[in-house]
Each structure stands twice: as structure tokens, then as C-alpha cells.
């Protein structure tokens, strides 16, 4: 009897586990044919790390220095491996699927466990995992090769799970899970993402502190904090070698204090212990651009979009006498983005359906959970504005420890991309339980429709108020003329209208599903199935615009990303000691073949760089 009960209890989780595996492989199905995803950043990494890889292949030993980049540099941030790194072995065991399906699976399973810890029914937890895992930003970073970032994000929910269990007086389980999860988080070797997780944990801690004060359980709160501190110290110990190496390198990298006192023009250089404010805020999220969390291409989507044969751009090229096939190729790379950032691969789309449920939850969910999730969402959104909300960003750069060590402030949105689906799922959970009367739920639904549908309708009605002009339009005008610019703006308006209408339809379908449930026309199970279908359609259809089967190439092309040209072959004949300075290419190509003066790295040695 006990055995039957145990199997019955575990079976749903096992099926979910298998489902996550199948979904991860299905999205990246070319891996089944032995293909690998082309990732531009990983191509650069392979070029930079070629010498150390060859050294290990020939000697069996790890090297912590390479001569192939920037005249010579440590390999601490080039995939260096250290002995007795047992937590890394656990990490590799968890990521057993082919890349990048392994990271997608990590998104799913980590978020699923977090929702189970938060006492959400397994069906809703699985739904939440889909909403989190298919969030467009989390998919696009896999497409471009930000693997360590994806790696760190994948373990964030597990760290939060351990912390929450500890605060729930599950001291031993919480301590063990926090230790292991934090150890895995640090293994990913992406300090910026771990730092953002720390900021979210601080917000969570404040919410729990206020709650503990109100309930007069402060001794329990501080006991939990003490246990968690010990867990983090142990996690640091599990990664001690790599952390100490990174600390040593950071002091000499571009993330440290400059030795220069003047600028190139002779003017005094502003003293800084980290990166310059200009560099930190280069990728600052535009305030209007915030709405692409909800309407995917409200500011044009990514830098280049396929606007299709029905577009004004296609008609322009045909009118200029361009052959149809060539015109079709051109419009697949239409520069539709008109936001404020220099480069955007894709919008950070969280999903119209998920945002709808998030707003719905705001009216039904109460207590500390709501406030740390809402607080984390607002906090990350405001900081992602960077120079567009300069007073707040400057305050954090000047006064908040380590904040000036990280660039691309827009990436702090990973916090809201974690918080929003959690609260969204709790909105559905509250819909199904009896904490509120149906009248209150119906009122919440009306408010939610008013806000979410209202925003979409407002954008449709005010479309003429936007100029649809991008930062690089001067270049395109000079290259193609005013007629092309007129066609381009028409296409930007088309995407704006199409995706706003798309969001409005998804909102109305979501609202209709909840309304039917409240009118007893749909069961709880059918509502979950309906939202699973809506979320998958909503997110996956946007994701596939940017990361799809076309991103995959043969494994040989990935493993050997560069081919030697005549100049390389001639240089390779010289067996003396020298460095190569390649001014024709700003990538890691020269480092793949030679000892190069150049290279490609986000944290170069500062003195060399300056």
C-alpha cells in the first residue's frame, strides 16, 4: 500500500520531468541530427581558447595562460578548468541534454521546483515553468551564445527555493538546497547574473523582515539568515579556486580602477574604480521600449526583422528593379528596430498572456510574496533604464558596491522575467481556490481587462503620435534614399499595429477563459490546458522568429569555426616568436591561428587595453 502511494505521488513529477526533456529537445530538434547551434559569442570563445585547448589535447594538462590573445593573458575567464571541482561534476550531470537544450531544461526544472516549494499544484507549476523557460530573452541569449548567462539564470530559481524553505523553518533541507544551488549558481561563472540575484534576494529579505516584525518572529528570521549565510559561505568554498582566480584577474582587468589620469584629448579623466558610466549604460532600456515586454515589436523587434513579401520595403526593392529573390533576401534583414539601444537581437518579450495573468494576480494575491515579486519587478525595470533614468543609475554606480563592475544595465531585467511568471501563476492559483469570493474574482478580471486591453487600445489609437525613427536612420537614408526610409517607417508601423492587435486578441482570449471558468462553463483542468496552449502559442511563435532550426549548422562547422586564408598559411610557416596584428577583423579569428595582439573578450587586461 505504501509503495503504491509513493509511486502515485511521484508519478506526476516524473511525467513532468520527461515532458520537460521532450519539450527542450523538440524546440532544438536539429540536435537529434547531430547538428549544433551557431552562436556568435561561442565562435569568438573558440577562437580565443584554441591555444589552450590544443595544449591540453597534446599534454593532458590545463594551462592558465595563453599567448594567442591581446599579447598574452590568463585563461581564468576563458573556460579554465580546476582540479577537484566536484560541484562542476554535479552541474554537468544535471545538464545531460545536448546544448542548448540542456539550458532550456534547466530553466524548466528549476522554476518547477521553485513553484512546488511555494506550494503550487504541480500542474500549475509545470505551466509556470513553460512561461519562464520560453520567455523570449531567455531563448535569444541561447541563440547568440551567452551560455554562462543562461547557465546562471537557470539556477536562480533553485537558490530562491532553498532560501524560502529556510524561512519556512525547513532549516536542514533549506540549508542543503541553498548550499548546493548557490554552489551551482557560482559554477556558471557569470558574476553579473549572480549579483542581480543577490539584489532580488535582498528585496525578498526585506519583505520577510517586515513580515517577521509584524508577526513578532524576529528570532526565527535572524536564525534563518544565519543559516543562509553559512550555506553561502560553503557554496563559495565549493568554488574557491575559480573565485580566487577571478578575483585576482578582476583586479587587473577593465573592470578595475584605471591608472590613467587624462583622456586622449588631454582633459582630466574622471576617477573610477570600475567601468565608466558611459560604457555601463551603453545598453539602456528605453522607457517606451518597456512595453515590448507586453507587445513584442512595439519598437520594431530586433535590429533586423523579416517583414515579408507584403511589406513596403519589398515593394520598394521591386520598384527599384531588384530581382524578386534578391528582394526577398533583403527584406529578411529589414532594420525595423527604432528603440534607443545600439543593438537588440530580439525584444525581451515576457508574453501578453503572462502579463495579463500578472496584472490579474495583483488584485487577488496578498502578503509578502506579492510584495517581493512586485518590488523585484519594479526595481529591475527602473534600473534597466540606465541613462534614461540617470539619477537612479548614477546613485547605484556611485554608491552601491560592485554595481560599477558590470555593463549592459538592461540585462537586469532577468529579475522581472523571473518574478512576473511566479506571480502570474499565483493569480491562477487564487482563481482556483476559495480565498476570495467569485464576485471579487470577477471584479479583478474586469480591472485586469481594463488595464491590459486598455493599454493595447491606447497604443492603437495613438499610433500617429510616434515618429518611428531609429538611431541609425541617417545611415540608411544616405545609403538608400528617402523613398526607402518612407517604406521602412511604413513597415515599422505595420509591425507596431500587428503585434498590438495580436496582444489584444490574446488578452481577450485569456479573459474569456477566466470568465468561462467563473461561470462554471470550464473546469480547472480545461483552464490550465487552455492557458498552456495560449502561453505556448504566444511565446514560442515569437521565440521562433529569432531562434529556430536555421540557427543550426554541422558540428564540424562549429568545432572549426575559422578557415586559414593565404595570409594565415604564410604566417604559419614562420616558427619564430612574434605577434600578429590583424587590422582587417575585430574578432578572435587571428587568435585561432596565431599569437595575436587582438582578440575578443568582455574583460580584457586593463593596462593593455588602455
Amino acid at each position: 500500500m505504501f509503495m503504491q502511494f509513493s509511486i502515485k505521488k511521484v508519478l506526476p513529477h516524473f511525467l513532468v520531468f520527461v515532458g520537460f526533456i521532450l519539450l527542450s529537445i523538440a524546440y532544438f530538434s536539429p540536435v537529434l541530427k547531430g547538428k549544433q547551434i551557431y552562436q556568435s559569442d561561442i565562435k569568438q570563445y573558440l577562437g580565443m581558447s584554441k591555444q589552450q585547448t590544443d595544449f591540453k589535447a597534446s599534454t593532458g594538462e590545463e594551462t592558465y595562460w595563453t599567448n594567442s590573445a591581446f599579447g598574452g593573458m590568463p585563461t581564468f575567464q576563458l573556460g579554465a578548468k580546476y582540479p577537484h571541482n566536484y560541484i562542476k561534476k554535479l552541474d554537468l550531470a544535471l545538464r545531460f541534454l545536448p546544448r542548448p537544450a540542456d539550458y532550456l531544461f534547466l530553466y524548466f526544472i528549476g522554476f518547477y521546483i521553485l513553484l512546488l516549494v511555494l506550494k503550487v499544484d504541480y500542474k500549475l507549476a509545470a505551466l509556470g515553468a513553460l512561461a519562464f523557460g520560453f520567455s523570449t530573452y531567455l531563448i535569444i541569449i541561447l541563440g547568440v551564445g551567452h551560455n554562462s548567462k543562461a547557465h546562471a539564470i537557470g539556477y536562480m530559481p533553485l537558490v530562491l527555493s532553498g532560501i524560502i524553505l529556510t524561512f519556512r523553518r525547513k532549516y536542514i533541507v533549506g540549508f542543503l538546497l541553498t548550499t548546493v544551488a548557490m554552489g551551482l549558481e557560482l559554477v556558471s561563472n557569470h558574476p553579473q547574473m549572480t549579483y542581480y540575484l543577490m539584489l532580488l534576494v535582498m528585496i525578498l529579505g526585506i519583505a520577510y523582515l517586515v513580515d517577521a516584525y509584524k508577526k513578532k518572529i524576529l528570532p526565527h528570521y535572524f536564525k534563518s539568515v544565519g543559516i543562509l549565510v553559512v550555506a553561502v559561505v560553503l557554496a563559495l568554498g565549493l568554488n574557491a579556486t575559480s573565485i580566487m582566480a577571478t578575483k585576482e584577474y578582476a583586479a587587473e582587468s577593465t573592470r578595475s580602477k584605471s591608472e590613467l589620469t587624462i583622456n586622449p584629448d588631454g582633459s582630466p579623466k574622471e576617477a573610477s574604480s570600475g567601468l565608466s558610466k558611459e560604457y555601463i549604460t551603453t545598453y539602456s532600456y528605453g522607457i517606451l521600449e518597456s512595453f515590448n515586454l507586453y507587445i513584442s515589436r512595439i519598437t520594431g523587434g530586433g535590429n533586423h526583422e523579416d517583414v515579408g513579401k507584403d511589406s513596403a520595403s519589398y515593394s520598394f526593392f521591386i520598384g527599384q528593379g531588384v530581382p524578386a529573390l534578391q528582394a526577398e533576401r533583403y527584406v529578411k534583414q529589414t532594420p525595423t528596430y527604432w528603440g534607443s539601444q545600439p543593438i537588440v537581437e530580439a525584444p525581451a518579450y515576457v508574453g501578453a498572456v503572462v502579463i495579463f495573468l500578472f496584472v490579474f494576480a495583483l488584485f487577488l494575491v496578498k502578503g509578502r510574496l506579492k510584495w517581493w515579486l512586485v518590488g523585484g519587478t519594479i526595481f529591475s525595470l527602473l534600473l534597466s533604464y540606465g541613462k534614461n533614468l540617470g539619477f537612479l543609475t548614477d546613485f547605484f554606480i556611485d554608491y552601491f558596491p560592485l554595481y560599477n563592475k558590470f555593463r549592459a544595465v538592461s540585462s537586469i531585467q532577468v529579475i522581472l522575467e523571473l518574478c512576473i511568471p511566479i506571480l502570474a501563476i499565483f493569480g491562477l492559483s487564487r482563481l482556483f481556490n476559495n480565498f476570495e469570493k467569485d464576485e471579487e474574482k470577477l471584479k479583478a478580471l474586469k480591472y485586469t481587462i481594463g488595464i491590459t486591453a486598455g493599454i493595447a487600445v491606447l497604443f492603437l489609437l495613438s499610433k500617429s503620435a510616434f515618429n518611428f525613427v531609429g538611431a541609425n536612420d541617417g545611415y540608411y537614408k544616405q545609403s538608400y534614399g528617402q523613398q526607402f526610409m518612407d517604406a521602412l517607417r511604413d513597415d515599422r508601423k505595420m509591425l507596431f499595429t500587428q503585434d498590438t492587435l495580436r496582444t489584444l486578441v490574446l488578452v481577450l482570449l485569456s479573459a474569456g477563459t477566466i470568465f468561462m471558468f467563473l461561470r462554471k462553463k470550464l473546469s480547472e483542468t480545461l483552464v490550465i490546458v487552455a492557458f498552456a496552449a495560449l502561453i505556448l502559442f504566444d511565446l514560442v511563435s515569437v521565440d521562433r522568429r529569432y531562434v529556430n532550426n536555421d540557427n543550426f549548422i554541422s558540428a564540424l562547422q562549429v568545432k572549426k569555426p575559422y578557415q586559414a586564408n593565404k595570409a594565415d598559411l604564410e604566417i604559419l610557416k614562420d616558427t619564430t616568436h612574434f605577434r600578429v596584428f590583424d587590422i582587417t577583423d575585430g574578432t578572435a579569428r587571428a587568435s585561432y591561428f596565431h599569437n595575436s595582439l587582438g582578440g575578443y573578450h568582455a574583460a580584457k587586461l586593463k593596462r593593455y587595453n588602455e
Side-chain angles (χ1 to χ4, degrees):
M1 187 70 179
F2 174 79
M3 198 62 184
Q4 290 178 339
F5 173 78
S6 297
I7 292 173
K8 190 175 181 180
K9 192 173 181 180
V10 170
L11 184 60
H13 303 301
F14 174 76
L15 293 175
V16 169
F17 179 85
V18 172
F20 288 158
I21 292 173
L22 295 176
L23 268 176
S24 301
I25 293 177
Y27 189 91
F28 298 111
S29 58
V31 298
L32 298 174
K33 300 177 183 178
K35 291 186 176 182
Q36 294 186 13
I37 191 168
Y38 171 79
Q39 300 171 301
S40 55
D41 276 24
I42 297 304
K43 181 179 180 179
Q44 307 302 334
Y45 162 75
L46 291 171
M48 291 283 287
S49 62
K50 177 68 160 55
Q51 189 176 90
Q52 72 194 77
T53 303
D54 289 347
F55 180 85
K56 186 169 184 178
S58 62
T59 67
E61 297 178 3
E62 192 76 30
T63 180
Y64 299 107
W65 184 269
T66 180
N67 289 314
S68 67
F70 302 114
M73 65 181 289
T75 62
F76 300 156
Q77 296 300 313
L78 281 172
K81 295 178 175 58
Y82 305 99
H84 306 295
N85 193 351
Y86 302 113
I87 192 71
K88 182 64 178 179
K89 293 180 180 179
L90 175 60
D91 168 56
L92 293 172
L94 292 172
R95 294 188 295 114
F96 57 90
L97 292 177
R99 186 167 296 175
D102 57 342
Y103 291 125
L104 182 54
F105 174 75
L106 208 59
Y107 294 158
F108 288 151
I109 200 67
F111 201 83
Y112 179 71
I113 291 171
L114 173 58
L115 288 178
L116 291 179
V117 166
L118 288 169
K119 299 181 179 180
V120 172
D121 177 75
Y122 81 92
K123 295 188 291 292
L124 285 176
L127 180 64
L130 299 181
F132 175 68
F134 283 123
S135 183
T136 301
Y137 181 78
L138 302 192
I139 296 297
I140 193 62
I141 60 176
L142 297 177
V144 298
H146 295 175
N147 290 353
S148 60
K149 180 184 288 187
H151 200 169
I153 293 169
Y155 285 127
M156 284 181 180
L158 281 180
V159 176
L160 293 175
S161 299
I163 292 170
I164 290 167
L165 282 171
T166 305
F167 279 123
R168 284 189 172 166
R169 302 178 188 270
K170 306 287 185 182
Y171 297 125
I172 296 176
V173 176
F175 168 76
L176 292 174
L177 182 54
T178 304
T179 302
V180 174
M182 194 65 207
L184 291 167
E185 172 70 26
L186 293 170
V187 158
S188 68
N189 194 31
H190 201 296
Q192 186 170 1
M193 292 299 106
T194 304
Y195 181 82
Y196 291 158
L197 173 62
M198 180 201 73
L199 296 179
L200 178 59
V201 169
M202 289 174 63
I203 294 170
L204 181 152
I206 292 169
Y208 272 79
L209 175 61
V210 171
D211 186 66
Y213 177 78
K214 289 180 178 178
K215 295 177 179 177
K216 298 181 180 180
I217 53 171
L218 285 174
H220 154 66
Y221 175 85
F222 288 111
K223 178 181 178 181
S224 299
V225 170
I227 290 170
L228 292 171
V229 168
V230 174
V232 171
V233 169
L234 287 175
L236 290 168
L238 290 170
N239 291 273
T241 310
S242 59
I243 289 172
M244 288 189 294
T246 298
K247 184 177 184 299
E248 180 183 352
Y249 181 75
E252 306 296 335
S253 77
T254 51
R255 309 301 174 99
S256 65
K257 185 177 180 180
S258 174
E259 296 178 349
L260 298 181
T261 57
I262 60 171
N263 292 310
D265 61 2
S267 60
K269 183 178 176 66
E270 182 182 354
S272 172
S273 61
L275 300 170
S276 68
K277 288 182 182 179
E278 183 182 4
Y279 187 58
I280 291 170
T281 59
T282 298
Y283 291 89
S284 295
Y285 208 51
I287 294 175
L288 173 64
E289 204 170 353
S290 307
F291 290 95
N292 71 11
L293 298 167
Y294 178 54
I295 302 170
S296 65
R297 292 185 291 191
I298 194 166
T299 53
N303 260 49
H304 298 96
E305 295 275 343
D306 182 358
V307 293
K309 296 170 70 172
D310 295 329
S311 64
S313 294
Y314 182 82
S315 298
F316 164 78
F317 287 120
I318 293 297
Q320 296 296 309
V322 175
L325 286 176
Q326 192 174 348
E328 195 172 342
R329 285 198 300 271
Y330 284 164
V331 297
K332 285 182 178 179
Q333 295 293 313
T334 306
T336 53
Y337 176 69
W338 54 282
S340 59
Q341 297 184 75
I343 300 173
V344 174
E345 290 290 336
Y349 185 58
V350 173
V353 178
V354 175
I355 294 286
F356 173 86
L357 292 174
F358 174 79
V359 176
F360 182 65
L362 292 177
F363 297 103
L364 294 180
V365 178
K366 308 291 192 299
R368 67 190 179 195
L369 174 79
K370 173 182 175 179
W371 295 117
W372 73 259
L373 290 172
V374 172
T377 299
I378 295 173
F379 176 78
S380 64
L381 184 61
L382 294 179
L383 280 179
S384 73
Y385 290 146
K387 60 189 175 187
N388 297 314
L389 197 64
F391 73 92
L392 181 64
T393 300
D394 288 348
F395 174 80
F396 270 80
I397 291 173
D398 292 336
Y399 300 108
F400 212 84
L402 302 179
Y403 195 80
N404 64 355
K405 304 294 184 184
F406 308 114
R407 66 189 184 107
V409 292
S410 59
S411 61
I412 198 173
Q413 285 192 351
V414 296
I415 293 178
L416 68 82
E417 283 151 4
L418 176 61
C419 292
I420 288 174
I422 298 174
L423 192 58
I425 292 303
F426 266 88
L428 275 182
S429 181
R430 285 302 178 101
L431 174 68
F432 296 147
N433 63 36
N434 297 317
F435 291 163
E436 282 82 22
K437 296 179 180 178
D438 283 355
E439 291 77 12
E440 290 298 314
K441 295 173 184 176
L442 188 59
K443 185 188 294 185
L445 178 61
K446 290 177 181 177
Y447 287 149
T448 304
I449 296 171
I451 293 169
T452 55
I455 289 172
V457 170
L458 183 63
F459 274 120
L460 287 172
L461 294 176
S462 61
K463 181 171 64 173
S464 60
F466 303 106
N467 60 19
F468 297 93
V469 174
N472 297 319
D473 282 5
Y475 166 78
Y476 297 121
K477 182 178 179 180
Q478 187 175 1
S479 300
Y480 300 104
Q482 184 59 46
Q483 191 178 351
F484 172 74
M485 292 310 304
D486 293 339
L488 180 58
R489 276 196 285 274
D490 285 344
D491 287 335
R492 288 169 175 168
K493 291 177 185 177
M494 175 191 69
L495 295 181
F496 180 101
T497 304
Q498 282 182 353
D499 279 24
T500 304
L501 286 171
R502 179 183 185 276
T503 287
L504 182 59
V505 169
L506 288 168
V507 161
L508 295 177
L509 289 173
S510 301
T513 302
I514 292 177
F515 182 77
M516 294 288 281
F517 174 79
L518 292 174
R519 286 289 178 262
K520 314 299 182 187
K521 301 293 184 182
L522 289 177
S523 66
E524 179 179 322
T525 300
L526 284 177
V527 170
I528 293 173
V529 170
F531 273 109
L534 285 170
I535 288 171
L536 284 172
F537 168 79
D538 184 14
L539 292 176
V540 173
S541 61
V542 173
D543 294 343
R544 298 294 285 184
R545 295 173 186 166
Y546 308 102
V547 182
N548 50 55
N549 293 358
D550 293 340
N551 294 78
F552 285 81
I553 57 179
S554 72
L556 182 62
Q557 288 176 281
V558 172
K559 292 174 182 175
K560 294 185 176 181
Y562 302 99
Q563 301 300 317
N565 57 31
K566 290 181 179 179
D568 293 318
L569 295 172
E570 193 64 31
I571 294 170
L572 288 170
K573 293 177 182 178
D574 190 337
T575 58
T576 62
H577 295 287
F578 58 89
R579 295 288 188 272
V580 172
F581 183 40
D582 186 356
I583 60 173
T584 66
D585 194 317
T587 70
R589 188 185 181 288
S591 298
Y592 189 80
F593 298 104
H594 318 291
N595 289 336
S596 174
L597 290 173
Y600 186 94
H601 202 275
K604 299 180 281 290
L605 290 170
K606 180 177 277 289
R607 179 176 291 185
Y608 184 89
N609 189 58
E610 291 180 337

